[in-house]
């Protein structure tokens, strides 16, 4: 299978061409309008004249080699076209025809037959049920819907699991002056998949950024591989992943199963892979356009230059949302700006140079020169945009924008240009940008700030991921104990954790009052009693926990109460009572697509109230765990509150990483492992309760 040959044919046959089909008319019109240099052959079983050209009755009747067959015949006729084409040596196909896997059982059977034939004969097939593709970089446009002019060639490769949205995405990209290298409507992915196209784009010199619209990630392992390749190549992937599911319940017994939904895991997986996830088609294109223009951004410290006070306030709010910093200008910067900004203006970051720009056309540019030189700034956001209407004499406008472009190009830090609101770039605006070299303009403060934040995060992630090797997964099954099935409550789960060297609160299993009293005496009061029963998850919900037992008579009474509350006990766990500290949840749950996933967050009763967790797809190391802990809304609690000791975050991260590694070692029979709470008191980290569910 050759995806490169699919996207770069020298000759094309439109099979099923007819004057009655808008698809056929549009496809031929696109090839003619956008400069496809090779021959285009029309195939219609009746022959005759189609679209003003003589048509062949079959592929066999074409006397010249054909590199790509664009198939528009009825569903039941598609396989016949493939058989004929394979005999003629045609290796690449776009199947526009619908009525396959998306339509039901019979369609799925036909699609499987096509896929099997393709594999057997080494055919490369895009579709079925797709619009085709637009290789703008090469001028190859076998695409079944009209392509609105102008087709802007650029450095963003777009891959869409939606044919209906492809033209809308293309129109919006053109409206925002974002050029594409390739746009592909994937269809059903019977043969060529999204990951195959990403692989191609990673190697494509015409592509700098890859934009994805994803309904599903069919093969997480393959997606991970190509995403890593893109990260290593310095090509950002921006993804709009739709289809949020309801929260999964992989493990009804554990809190973790209720906290880790399919979409949450996808978020964690994409973050680990350095894939930028966005929430709208607008952000997909605007963020991709910015990254294609700016490349990596060096840090989060942003200097802002704008002629609007109101815009400055919006930017300040959005910067906080995006994790961007607006540091104070250095003293020398302030002094220089005071010489430039009108006396009624205020010199601060964001910098409002005021409406005086309408009088002094050099004001914005001179202020930009000063701010870009500030040592506290990693990048500058400039509020500006291309002109909309062409004046009678465009020369002064071109001169003004040329000067601005030269200033921006000479800056020691990246300058990102953002417009106030999201509007179309006009034909004259595109002309000005093209002729003067004025950079890409992110559309609107809302989308522009999101794009800047995303670019900064991607740059950080890439540096972090490439600075250390990917943690190696543990060999599965090495430590899986015999009889591992069902739910292991605390007495068995904690014993398994302790046997691996993980820190677990000491406990004794007592089967009588006397044994409970003896255990309490060994530990020292106060103690805790907990019901121990096969399959028992939430002990406190059924009256199976007694706390703060400070004397022998308390232990005896509590033992009798627990036995009465919980039938079929294996015994009662006796533990020394721990107090103070911060309670964390550490859970590992198996996602059906991505595998074992770590959730770490505030534990105890807070897990149900706050649902404050950070997720990571395994494997992880201690460094990644520390990053996850910092993402918690309650992260400040770990710094110590009201005189309590600060948590030793290195110790916490080490224990959590060891728990994750241990979970991996238990093999593919593990459904979930949960510690709740993991008590952190200074440098002491100890599991107080545990639960394991086997598949």
């Amino acid at each position: 299978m050759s995806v490169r040959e699919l996207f770069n044919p020298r000759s094309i046959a439109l099979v099923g061409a007819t004057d009655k089909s808008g698809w056929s008319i549009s496809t031929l019109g696109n090839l003619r309008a956008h400069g496809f240099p090779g021959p285009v052959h029309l195939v219609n079983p009746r022959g005759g004249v189609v679209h003003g050209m003589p048509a062949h009755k079959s592929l066999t009747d074409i006397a010249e080699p054909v590199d790509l067959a664009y198939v528009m015949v009825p569903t039941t006729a598609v396989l016949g076209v493939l058989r004929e084409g394979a005999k003629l040596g045609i290796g690449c196909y776009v199947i526009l025809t619908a009525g396959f896997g998306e339509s039901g059982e019979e369609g799925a059977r036909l699609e499987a037959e096509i896929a099997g034939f393709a594999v057997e004969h080494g055919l490369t097939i895009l579709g079925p049920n797709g619009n085709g593709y637009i290789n703008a970089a090469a001028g190859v446009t076998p695409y079944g819907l009209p392509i609105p002019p102008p087709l802007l060639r650029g450095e963003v490769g777009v891959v869409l699991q939606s044919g209906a949205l492809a033209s809308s995405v293309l129109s919006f990209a053109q409206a925002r002056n974002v050029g594409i290298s390739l746009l592909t409507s994937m269809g059903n992915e019977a043969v060529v998949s999204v990951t195959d196209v990403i692989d191609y784009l990673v190697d494509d010199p015409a592509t700098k950024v890859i934009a994805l619209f994803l309904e599903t990630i069919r093969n997480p392992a393959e997606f991970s591989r190509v995403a890593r390749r893109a990260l290593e190549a310095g090509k950002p992937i921006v993804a709009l992943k739709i289809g949020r599911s309801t929260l999964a319940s992989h493990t009804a017994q554990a809190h973790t199963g209720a906290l880790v939904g399919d979409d949450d895991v996808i978020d964690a997986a994409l973050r680990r892979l350095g894939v930028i996830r966005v929430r709208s088609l607008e952000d997909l294109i605007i963020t991709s356009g910015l990254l294609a223009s700016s490349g990596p951004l060096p840090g989060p410290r942003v200097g802002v230059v704008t002629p609007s006070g109101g815009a400055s306030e919006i930017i300040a709010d959005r910067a906080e949302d995006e994790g961007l910093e607006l540091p104070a200008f250095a003293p020398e910067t302030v002094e220089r700006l005071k010489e430039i900004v009108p006396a009624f203006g205020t010199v601060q970051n964001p910098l409002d140079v005021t409406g005086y720009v309408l009088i002094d056309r050099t004001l914005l540019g001179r202020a930009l020169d000063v701010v870009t030189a500030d040592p506290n700034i990693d990048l500058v956001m400039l509020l500006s945009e291309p002109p909309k209407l062409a004046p009678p004499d465009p020369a002064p406008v071109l001169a003004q924008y040329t000067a601005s472009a030269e200033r921006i190009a000479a800056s020691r830090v990246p300058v990102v240009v953002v417009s106030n609101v999201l509007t179309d770039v006009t034909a004259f605006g595109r002309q000005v940008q093209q002729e003067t070299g004025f950079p890409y303009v992110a559309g609107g403060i809302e989308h522009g700030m999101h794009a800047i934040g995303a670019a900064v995060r991607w740059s950080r992630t890439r540096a972090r991921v490439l600075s250390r090797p990917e943690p190696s997964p543990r060999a599965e099954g090495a430590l899986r104990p015999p009889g591992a099935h069902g739910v292991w409550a605390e007495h068995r789960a904690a014993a398994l954790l302790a046997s691996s060297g993980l820190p677990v609160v000491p406990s004794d299993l007592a089967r009588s009052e006397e044994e409970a009293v003896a255990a309490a005496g060994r530990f020292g009061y106060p103690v805790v009693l907990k019901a121990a029963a096969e399959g028992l998850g939430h002990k406190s919900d059924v009256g199976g926990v007694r706390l703060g037992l400070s004397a022998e008579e308390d232990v005896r009474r509590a033992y009798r109460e627990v036995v009465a509350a919980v039938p079929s006990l294996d015994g009662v766990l006796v533990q020394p009572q721990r107090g103070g500290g911060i309670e964390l949840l550490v859970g590992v749950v198996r996602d059906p697509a991505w595998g074992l996933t770590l959730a770490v967050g505030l534990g105890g009763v807070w897990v149900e109230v706050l649902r404050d967790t950070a997720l990571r797809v395994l494997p992880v190391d201690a460094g990644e765990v520390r990053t996850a802990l910092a993402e918690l809304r309650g992260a400040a609690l770990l710094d110590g509150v009201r005189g309590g000791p600060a948590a030793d975050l290195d110790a916490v991260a080490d224990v959590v990483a060891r728990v994750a590694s241990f979970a991996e070692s238990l093999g593919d029979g593990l459904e979930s492992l949960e510690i709740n709470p993991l008590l952190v008191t200074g440098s002491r980290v100890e599991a107080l309760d545990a639960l394991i569910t086997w598949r």
Side-chain angles (χ1 to χ4, degrees):
M1 184 173 74
S2 174
V3 175
R4 181 167 298 280
E5 291 179 7
L6 171 71
F7 292 137
N8 294 275
R10 293 162 299 180
S11 60
I12 299 174
L14 304 186
V15 185
T18 170
D19 291 323
K20 298 177 181 179
S21 168
W23 304 99
S24 181
I25 294 168
S26 295
T27 305
L28 180 61
N30 290 334
L31 291 168
R32 285 173 169 171
H34 299 290
F36 178 63
V40 178
H41 308 283
L42 305 185
V43 177
N44 183 295
R46 295 184 177 86
V49 175
V50 177
H51 308 324
M53 296 171 55
H56 304 276
K57 291 186 177 181
S58 67
L59 286 169
T60 306
D61 288 348
I62 301 173
E64 304 173 30
V66 172
D67 292 332
L68 172 68
Y70 189 89
V71 182
M72 300 175 284
V73 301
T75 306
T76 54
V78 169
L79 187 57
V81 173
L82 299 183
R83 287 177 174 144
E84 181 185 13
K87 289 179 181 178
L88 298 170
I90 302 173
C92 297
Y93 300 80
V94 172
I95 301 178
L96 179 81
T97 310
F100 288 92
E102 80 284 359
S103 65
E105 186 175 338
E106 176 60 18
R109 185 191 65 77
L110 292 172
E111 185 172 317
E113 196 172 1
I114 285 173
F117 184 85
V119 171
E120 181 182 354
H121 293 84
L123 305 183
T124 303
I125 297 176
L126 180 65
N129 187 34
N131 293 332
Y133 66 84
I134 300 169
N135 185 346
V140 183
T141 54
Y143 184 73
L145 295 172
I147 300 173
L151 175 57
L152 302 178
R153 292 168 172 81
E155 297 167 320
V156 177
V158 183
V159 188
L160 301 151
Q161 285 180 328
S162 170
L165 288 178
S167 292
S168 297
V169 169
L170 178 63
S171 296
F172 181 73
Q174 294 177 172
R176 287 306 312 164
N177 206 25
V178 176
I180 65 167
S181 56
L182 176 77
L183 182 143
T184 307
S185 171
M186 295 304 305
N188 292 2
E189 298 181 61
V191 178
V192 174
S193 67
V194 165
T195 52
D196 294 325
V197 181
I198 296 174
D199 246 342
Y200 168 81
L201 292 173
V202 169
D203 296 327
D204 178 27
T207 301
K208 282 188 177 180
V209 178
I210 301 167
L212 308 177
F213 176 86
L214 300 174
E215 294 173 342
T216 184
I217 298 175
R218 301 182 192 279
N219 188 327
E222 267 297 287
F223 188 87
S224 298
R225 180 188 65 80
V226 297
R228 177 79 185 201
R229 284 195 69 220
L231 202 63
E232 291 171 348
K235 295 191 177 184
I237 296 178
V238 184
L240 173 57
K241 170 66 180 71
I242 62 164
R244 298 190 188 198
S245 69
T246 55
L247 289 178
S249 276
H250 303 306
T251 52
Q253 292 285 343
H255 289 102
T256 311
L259 291 171
V260 180
D262 294 346
D263 197 66
D264 302 310
V265 177
I266 289 170
D267 249 353
L270 295 182
R271 189 185 308 115
R272 188 189 76 177
L273 296 169
V275 175
I276 299 166
R277 189 174 186 186
V278 296
R279 302 294 182 182
S280 70
L281 291 171
E282 292 84 357
D283 281 329
L284 178 67
I285 296 303
I286 291 170
T287 302
S288 298
L290 172 63
L291 281 160
S293 172
S294 71
L297 295 179
R301 301 177 303 168
V302 183
V304 179
V305 180
T306 168
S308 166
S312 297
E313 295 169 357
I314 297 172
I315 291 166
D317 288 343
R318 289 292 289 116
E320 186 171 318
D321 298 338
E322 296 294 337
L324 299 170
E325 303 169 20
L326 301 177
F329 290 134
E332 59 269 27
T333 303
V334 173
E335 291 306 312
R336 291 181 63 193
L337 287 173
K338 284 181 178 179
E339 299 173 1
I340 298 173
V341 176
F344 54 84
T346 302
V347 174
Q348 62 184 19
N349 189 21
L351 176 65
D352 171 18
V353 299
T354 77
Y356 202 73
V357 292
L358 296 175
I359 298 172
D360 181 356
R361 298 290 185 178
T362 71
L363 176 57
L364 197 66
R366 290 186 292 128
L368 178 65
D369 286 342
V370 175
V371 174
T372 56
D374 189 287
N376 297 333
I377 298 300
D378 296 318
L379 64 109
V380 172
M381 173 181 171
L382 173 66
L383 224 63
S384 182
E385 58 188 302
K388 296 190 178 302
L389 300 176
D393 179 11
V397 174
L398 292 171
Q400 177 187 347
Y401 277 86
T402 297
S404 296
E406 290 172 350
R407 270 195 166 96
I408 291 169
S411 170
R412 73 167 189 90
V413 296
V415 176
V416 177
V417 185
V418 179
S419 61
N420 278 308
V421 295
L422 179 58
T423 56
D424 291 356
V425 177
T426 65
F428 180 62
R430 282 197 299 272
Q431 176 192 339
V432 169
Q433 286 189 276
Q434 183 177 358
E435 293 185 13
T436 66
F438 193 77
Y440 169 76
V441 179
I445 294 172
E446 170 67 25
H447 299 290
M449 292 297 293
H450 179 80
I452 293 171
V456 168
R457 289 189 292 275
W458 177 83
S459 303
R460 280 176 162 177
T461 299
R462 182 170 188 262
R464 184 176 70 248
V465 170
L466 298 185
S467 68
R468 60 177 186 247
E470 186 85 351
S472 299
R474 290 284 299 267
E476 290 212 344
L479 298 179
R480 183 178 180 180
H485 64 273
V487 177
W488 279 19
E490 180 182 358
H491 63 296
R492 299 183 71 184
L496 184 61
L497 293 171
S499 70
S500 74
L502 291 166
V504 177
V505 65
S507 63
D508 276 352
L509 182 63
R511 291 184 169 86
S512 67
E513 285 185 35
E514 299 304 326
E515 289 183 4
V517 169
R522 288 192 296 272
F523 290 133
Y525 293 97
V527 295
V528 176
L529 263 62
K530 301 177 182 177
E534 189 73 25
L536 179 61
H538 302 309
K539 298 178 288 293
S540 58
D541 292 350
V542 294
V545 178
R546 294 293 184 275
L547 305 175
L549 307 177
S550 56
E552 177 180 332
E553 57 271 23
D554 296 334
V555 172
R556 292 184 181 278
R557 182 179 65 255
Y559 183 91
R560 293 192 296 271
E561 290 172 350
V562 169
V563 169
V566 183
S568 304
L569 279 178
D570 296 327
V572 174
L573 280 178
V574 183
Q575 299 172 342
Q577 179 154 324
R578 303 298 196 210
I582 301 297
E583 294 184 346
L584 296 179
L585 163 81
V586 179
V588 177
V589 64
R590 184 175 300 279
D591 180 81
W594 295 94
L596 294 178
T597 302
L598 170 71
V600 59
L602 295 182
V605 297
W606 297 112
V607 64
E608 295 173 349
V609 176
L610 298 180
R611 302 176 65 85
D612 184 13
T613 57
L615 304 185
R616 293 295 186 272
V617 175
L618 300 189
V620 297
D621 58 19
E624 187 62 26
V625 173
R626 280 210 60 164
T627 302
L629 290 169
E631 294 172 4
L632 298 176
R633 297 192 303 275
L637 293 173
L638 296 169
D639 297 330
V641 291
R642 295 193 174 182
D648 182 340
L649 293 178
D650 287 333
V652 176
D654 176 69
V655 170
V656 174
R658 286 165 55 198
V659 170
S661 181
F662 176 66
E664 288 183 280
S665 76
L666 293 176
D668 59 7
L670 178 71
E671 181 65 32
S672 74
L673 182 158
E674 181 173 289
I675 297 172
N676 183 29
L678 181 75
L679 185 66
V680 180
T681 311
S683 59
R684 188 176 74 181
V685 184
E686 194 174 42
L688 301 191
D689 200 348
L691 186 72
I692 294 176
T693 304
W694 303 100
R695 297 173 79 185

